[in-house]
Amino acid sequence: MEMFDLSLIWALIIGFGIMMYVLMDGFDLGLGILFPFAPDEDARDVMMNSVAPVWDGNETWLVLGGAGLLAAFPLVYSVFLPALYIGVFLMLAGLVFRGVAFELRFKSTRGRRGRRLWNLAFSGGSAVAAFAQGAVVGTYIQGFATENRVYVGGPFDWLTPFTLLTGVGIMIGYALLGTTWLILKSEGYIQQWAYRLTTPLLLAVLVIFGIISIWTPLVNVMVWERWFGHIHVIWVLPALTLLSMFTVYWASRRGHEVLPFIATLGIFLFTYLGLVVSKWPWIVPPNYTIWDAASAPESQLFLLIGVLFVLPFVLFYTFWSYWVFRGKVRVGEGYH
């Protein structure tokens, strides 16, 4: 008899890694989505410089979550990849274009034309990556067609009206994270522009949140049973999400700088926890739990030792990078 449930421990580690990635990479994807609408090129410089020192560290959490899934729950890969090849490819392509733009936009030797090219790469890559992530989440909510631990659906089964909505919803949510981050990191007319965008983006998030909340139990019977069978527990999370939305509105209207960003993180955190609670313990819905999808205990234990050694360093590096580059980013100043 095992002293510890290794599958549960790995599920918590991977869940934590995915949550950290969404919270920490969401705002720089959001800035990319907002890039075409910025007031001028100086504003775009500030937007990019506000995340340039930390964006690559944020990607560490994506690597941790992806590698952990492969090592601890190989069935997830054997089902998800055939089902989501196109969506995953779009996400990775978007992240690559965005990453290249970070490094080359400030080094362009082709003047304004070169800047426009890398602006397009940064904004387009961010938008595509964000949409793909939202579509993948929508597909996970819908579930997968599997037989004998094998995906039996088609390559475009992931693309439905519901996943289109979740894709757009993540894009708008990331854009809201971007504006509240810019409120925190900028000043003057750039900060005022971010303040003006926050309320309409928040309203759009509220509308899409409501539609998805109504639609989700209709596309997945399991979620219907979970929501309405445990109403006294699970509805706390949507209530906290709505409270976070109100806090964003209240704080941004009163000119707070830190609270809008913290409250927007709360929107994502409570929505994420609501998704986890709705689907737990199915990691490949609707048929396979975390224990069904787990690798051998010996493999999980061996890899767990390495992860528990590395994780504190990742947490320290993340905290330290944000601490070192704290404060406002001004026009003409920055990381580059």
Side-chain angles (χ1 to χ4, degrees), residues 80-94 128-129 131-136 139 155-156 158-159:
F80 279 31
L81 285 185
L84 299 169
Y85 269 133
I86 297 175
V88 172
F89 171 79
L90 289 174
M91 182 187 74
L92 294 178
V128 169
F131 174 81
Q133 289 176 16
V136 167
T139 306
F156 292 98
W158 63 275
L159 192 60

Side-chain angles (χ1 to χ4, degrees), residues 16 42 44 54 86 105 109 131 136 153 159 162 190 192 208 252 255 260-261 263 267 275 279 309 319 328:
F16 176 74
D42 284 340
R44 295 186 182 96
V54 297
I86 297 175
R105 179 177 177 273
T109 58
F131 174 81
V136 167
L159 192 60
F162 182 75
I190 301 173
Q192 293 305 312
I208 292 181
S252 62
F261 180 66
I267 294 173
L275 174 61
K279 306 294 285 188
F309 175 78
F319 170 80
K328 298 288 186 180

Side-chain angles (χ1 to χ4, degrees), residues 42 51 62 81 90 119 147-148 152 162 171 208 229 248-249 260 266 276 282 321:
D42 284 340
V51 293
L62 181 63
L81 285 185
L90 289 174
N119 287 347
E147 291 181 8
N148 299 320
V152 294
F162 182 75
M171 290 177 65
I208 292 181
V248 173
Y249 174 78
V276 171
W282 285 270
S321 61

Side-chain angles (χ1 to χ4, degrees), residues 141-142 162 166 209-224 227 275 278-279:
I141 294 172
Q142 289 181 156
F162 182 75
T166 56
F209 173 82
I211 295 173
I212 292 175
S213 297
I214 295 170
W215 201 341
T216 295
L218 300 178
V219 300
N220 192 300
V221 175
M222 181 194 309
V223 174
W224 176 282
W227 283 17
L275 174 61
S278 298
K279 306 294 285 188

